[in-house]
Amino acid sequence: MHFSRQKGLSLFSVLLVMIVLGAILVLGMKVMPVYSEYAEVRQAITALSAQSNVGELSVRRDFNQRAAVAGIASIKGENLVVVTGGNYVYIRAAYQREVPLFSNVSLLFKFDTQAGQPPQ
C-alpha cells in the first residue's frame, strides 16, 4: 500500500502566521504616521532655512503656520533652535515622540534634523 503525504500548513501554523502578520500590520500602522510627520518637519525647516533676511521670531511663526497646515503636533516653533544672520538661517529640530502600543508598552522615537548654514 502506498500512502501519499499531505502537503500544506496545519491549522495551528496558519493561525500563527496570521497573528505574526497582524502584529506587523498594526506596528506599521502606528509607526508610519510618526515618520510621515518627521518628513513634514524636515520639509518645513528646509523651506524656512532657504529664506534670507528674516528674524528668529518670523521663522518660528512661519513654522507654526506650516505645522498647523501639515498637522505637525510633536514640535512647535518655540522648541526649534533658530540662528539667523545677514544671509543665512540655521534651524535645528530635536524632539521625541512616544507611541503607545498596548498596556504599558510604548515606542520612543528620537528625531534630530537641521537645515541651513550652521553658524561659524
Side-chain angles (χ1 to χ4, degrees), residues 60 74-81 92-94:
R60 292 181 193 279
S74 297
I75 188 168
K76 302 290 181 206
E78 298 80 36
N79 305 117
L80 298 174
V81 174
R92 180 176 177 207

PDB file of all heavy atoms in Angstrom, residues 60 74-81 92-94:
ATOM      1  N   ARG A  60      10.034  81.239  13.568  1.00  0.00           N
ATOM      2  CA  ARG A  60       9.220  80.455  14.498  1.00  0.00           C
ATOM      3  C   ARG A  60       7.724  80.576  14.163  1.00  0.00           C
ATOM      4  O   ARG A  60       6.986  79.588  14.182  1.00  0.00           O
ATOM      5  CB  ARG A  60       9.469  80.900  15.929  1.00  0.00           C
ATOM      6  CG  ARG A  60      10.867  80.563  16.425  1.00  0.00           C
ATOM      7  CD  ARG A  60      11.066  81.009  17.864  1.00  0.00           C
ATOM      8  NE  ARG A  60      12.452  80.972  18.264  1.00  0.00           N
ATOM      9  CZ  ARG A  60      13.099  79.876  18.650  1.00  0.00           C
ATOM     10  NH1 ARG A  60      12.471  78.726  18.675  1.00  0.00           N
ATOM     11  NH2 ARG A  60      14.367  79.938  19.006  1.00  0.00           N
ATOM     12  N   SER A  74       4.074  67.335  17.192  1.00  0.00           N
ATOM     13  CA  SER A  74       5.134  66.904  18.107  1.00  0.00           C
ATOM     14  C   SER A  74       6.114  68.009  18.468  1.00  0.00           C
ATOM     15  O   SER A  74       6.816  67.902  19.470  1.00  0.00           O
ATOM     16  CB  SER A  74       5.915  65.742  17.501  1.00  0.00           C
ATOM     17  OG  SER A  74       5.069  64.643  17.326  1.00  0.00           O
ATOM     18  N   ILE A  75       6.200  69.053  17.659  1.00  0.00           N
ATOM     19  CA  ILE A  75       7.154  70.132  17.915  1.00  0.00           C
ATOM     20  C   ILE A  75       6.538  71.456  17.492  1.00  0.00           C
ATOM     21  O   ILE A  75       5.786  71.509  16.515  1.00  0.00           O
ATOM     22  CB  ILE A  75       8.508  69.872  17.190  1.00  0.00           C
ATOM     23  CG1 ILE A  75       9.557  70.879  17.618  1.00  0.00           C
ATOM     24  CG2 ILE A  75       8.323  69.817  15.698  1.00  0.00           C
ATOM     25  CD1 ILE A  75      10.956  70.520  17.191  1.00  0.00           C
ATOM     26  N   LYS A  76       6.843  72.465  18.242  1.00  0.00           N
ATOM     27  CA  LYS A  76       6.342  73.812  17.958  1.00  0.00           C
ATOM     28  C   LYS A  76       7.515  74.718  17.602  1.00  0.00           C
ATOM     29  O   LYS A  76       8.674  74.376  17.820  1.00  0.00           O
ATOM     30  CB  LYS A  76       5.620  74.385  19.181  1.00  0.00           C
ATOM     31  CG  LYS A  76       4.463  73.560  19.665  1.00  0.00           C
ATOM     32  CD  LYS A  76       3.336  73.623  18.688  1.00  0.00           C
ATOM     33  CE  LYS A  76       2.158  72.802  19.180  1.00  0.00           C
ATOM     34  NZ  LYS A  76       1.312  72.329  18.124  1.00  0.00           N
ATOM     35  N   GLY A  77       7.217  75.881  17.078  1.00  0.00           N
ATOM     36  CA  GLY A  77       8.250  76.846  16.719  1.00  0.00           C
ATOM     37  C   GLY A  77       9.102  77.263  17.895  1.00  0.00           C
ATOM     38  O   GLY A  77      10.290  77.554  17.748  1.00  0.00           O
ATOM     39  N   GLU A  78       8.532  77.278  19.081  1.00  0.00           N
ATOM     40  CA  GLU A  78       9.267  77.668  20.284  1.00  0.00           C
ATOM     41  C   GLU A  78      10.348  76.658  20.654  1.00  0.00           C
ATOM     42  O   GLU A  78      11.278  76.972  21.393  1.00  0.00           O
ATOM     43  CB  GLU A  78       8.310  77.826  21.477  1.00  0.00           C
ATOM     44  CG  GLU A  78       7.263  78.900  21.292  1.00  0.00           C
ATOM     45  CD  GLU A  78       6.075  78.447  20.436  1.00  0.00           C
ATOM     46  OE1 GLU A  78       5.670  77.263  20.522  1.00  0.00           O
ATOM     47  OE2 GLU A  78       5.568  79.270  19.667  1.00  0.00           O
ATOM     48  N   ASN A  79      10.217  75.422  20.173  1.00  0.00           N
ATOM     49  CA  ASN A  79      11.164  74.359  20.505  1.00  0.00           C
ATOM     50  C   ASN A  79      12.314  74.241  19.510  1.00  0.00           C
ATOM     51  O   ASN A  79      13.208  73.421  19.705  1.00  0.00           O
ATOM     52  CB  ASN A  79      10.446  73.014  20.591  1.00  0.00           C
ATOM     53  CG  ASN A  79       9.291  73.042  21.560  1.00  0.00           C
ATOM     54  OD1 ASN A  79       8.158  72.863  21.162  1.00  0.00           O
ATOM     55  ND2 ASN A  79       9.568  73.298  22.829  1.00  0.00           N
ATOM     56  N   LEU A  80      12.285  75.031  18.445  1.00  0.00           N
ATOM     57  CA  LEU A  80      13.342  74.981  17.442  1.00  0.00           C
ATOM     58  C   LEU A  80      14.559  75.775  17.904  1.00  0.00           C
ATOM     59  O   LEU A  80      14.428  76.753  18.637  1.00  0.00           O
ATOM     60  CB  LEU A  80      12.856  75.578  16.121  1.00  0.00           C
ATOM     61  CG  LEU A  80      11.685  74.899  15.424  1.00  0.00           C
ATOM     62  CD1 LEU A  80      11.261  75.710  14.214  1.00  0.00           C
ATOM     63  CD2 LEU A  80      12.045  73.482  15.025  1.00  0.00           C
ATOM     64  N   VAL A  81      15.726  75.361  17.436  1.00  0.00           N
ATOM     65  CA  VAL A  81      16.936  76.165  17.600  1.00  0.00           C
ATOM     66  C   VAL A  81      17.067  76.958  16.301  1.00  0.00           C
ATOM     67  O   VAL A  81      17.234  76.378  15.230  1.00  0.00           O
ATOM     68  CB  VAL A  81      18.184  75.279  17.831  1.00  0.00           C
ATOM     69  CG1 VAL A  81      19.440  76.128  17.843  1.00  0.00           C
ATOM     70  CG2 VAL A  81      18.047  74.481  19.107  1.00  0.00           C
ATOM     71  N   ARG A  92      17.388  73.954  13.695  1.00  0.00           N
ATOM     72  CA  ARG A  92      17.558  72.582  14.179  1.00  0.00           C
ATOM     73  C   ARG A  92      16.301  72.189  14.943  1.00  0.00           C
ATOM     74  O   ARG A  92      15.841  72.920  15.812  1.00  0.00           O
ATOM     75  CB  ARG A  92      18.769  72.479  15.081  1.00  0.00           C
ATOM     76  CG  ARG A  92      18.988  71.083  15.605  1.00  0.00           C
ATOM     77  CD  ARG A  92      20.255  70.997  16.417  1.00  0.00           C
ATOM     78  NE  ARG A  92      20.390  69.658  16.954  1.00  0.00           N
ATOM     79  CZ  ARG A  92      21.039  69.392  18.058  1.00  0.00           C
ATOM     80  NH1 ARG A  92      21.642  70.355  18.739  1.00  0.00           N
ATOM     81  NH2 ARG A  92      21.115  68.158  18.494  1.00  0.00           N
ATOM     82  N   ALA A  93      15.787  71.024  14.612  1.00  0.00           N
ATOM     83  CA  ALA A  93      14.615  70.487  15.298  1.00  0.00           C
ATOM     84  C   ALA A  93      15.008  69.167  15.943  1.00  0.00           C
ATOM     85  O   ALA A  93      15.318  68.209  15.255  1.00  0.00           O
ATOM     86  CB  ALA A  93      13.469  70.276  14.318  1.00  0.00           C
ATOM     87  N   ALA A  94      15.032  69.132  17.259  1.00  0.00           N
ATOM     88  CA  ALA A  94      15.324  67.917  18.016  1.00  0.00           C
ATOM     89  C   ALA A  94      14.138  67.658  18.937  1.00  0.00           C
ATOM     90  O   ALA A  94      13.794  68.501  19.758  1.00  0.00           O
ATOM     91  CB  ALA A  94      16.607  68.073  18.815  1.00  0.00           C
TER      92      ALA A  94
END
